[in-house]
Structure formats: structure tokens, C-alpha cells
Amino acid sequence: MTENTMNPFANPEQRFSKLSMFELSGLYDAVELARQTLAGIVNQPRFFRGEDYNGAGDEVEGLIDALIEFAGAAVNVAKTASPADPAAVEERAWILLKYSVLCGDCLTAHAGEAAGYAAQLETLKKLKEGK
């Protein structure tokens, strides 16, 4: 690890802003997969003392919380990004939509959000084609 990555949870938005949308999307997916995996692991009986987490369970839960914040930093960077390339715009839309679906429960809202991203992408494609 380099000096800048010794603590991967320190100032993530500053580092993430230097990534392409494709890199940011890959990072978001990897962090979300790690979070989901740890969530499954921490629900094993060996991480509980009665109804509550034991010390190890508390530590794993803390790591899950850190991963949630880390993924949130990637989403924050995507929200503020303004890519001009249609492929990057589409990748940005996927990041934001995946996060929105993970955090929400209203299908109608997700459908509207996806339609808005699709419309933005089509408009950009037409502009790039000169139509």
C-alpha cells in the first residue's frame, strides 16, 4: 500500500473524485459486495452473546458501518460529477440508481429515477451526434 492508501477510509471523496465513472462504479460494486458478505457472516451464532452481538460481532458491525460510509462517499462523488461522455453518464446513472434501490422501497420512484437518467442519456447522445 502506498502512503495515500494506508487508511482506505480516510478522505475517500477526495480520492474518488480522481476516478473515472467506470472505476467508481467498480469500486462501489466491490464495496457493496463486501458489505453484503460481512452482513451474512456477522449473523452467524458465533458473533452473538444471547440476543446481542459479542465483541467480535460488534467489530464486524463497525466494519460494515465503515463500508456503508465508504460506498456513500462513492455515491456522493457520482452525484456531483458531470461527465460529458455518454458511456460515463450511463455508468453514473447506474451507480446512483443501484444506491437508490438499495436504500429505498418505492418502485414508482425508482422507475421515475431510471426514466430520468435514460432521458438525460438519450439527450446527450443526440447532442453528440449533432441531431
Side-chain angles (χ1 to χ4, degrees), residues 22-70:
F22 301 102
E23 293 169 329
L24 193 61
S25 180
L27 175 67
Y28 176 82
D29 289 345
V31 171
E32 182 53 28
L33 180 59
R35 186 202 60 79
Q36 290 174 3
T37 302
L38 285 174
I41 291 170
V42 79
N43 283 303
Q44 296 178 17
R46 67 189 197 165
F47 291 102
F48 285 86
R49 183 183 314 109
E51 296 290 317
D52 298 321
Y53 286 129
N54 61 23
D58 286 337
E59 293 297 327
V60 174
E61 188 65 23
L63 184 53
I64 291 169
D65 290 343
L67 288 173
I68 290 169
E69 289 182 28
F70 200 67

Side-chain angles (χ1 to χ4, degrees), residues 17 19-21 24 75-90 92-93 96 120 124 128:
S17 66
L19 301 178
S20 72
M21 276 300 128
L24 193 61
V75 171
N76 289 339
V77 168
K79 282 180 183 176
T80 60
S82 299
D85 174 57
V89 169
E90 184 172 6
R92 176 185 178 269
L96 298 176
Q120 290 173 2
L124 180 61
K128 291 283 186 179

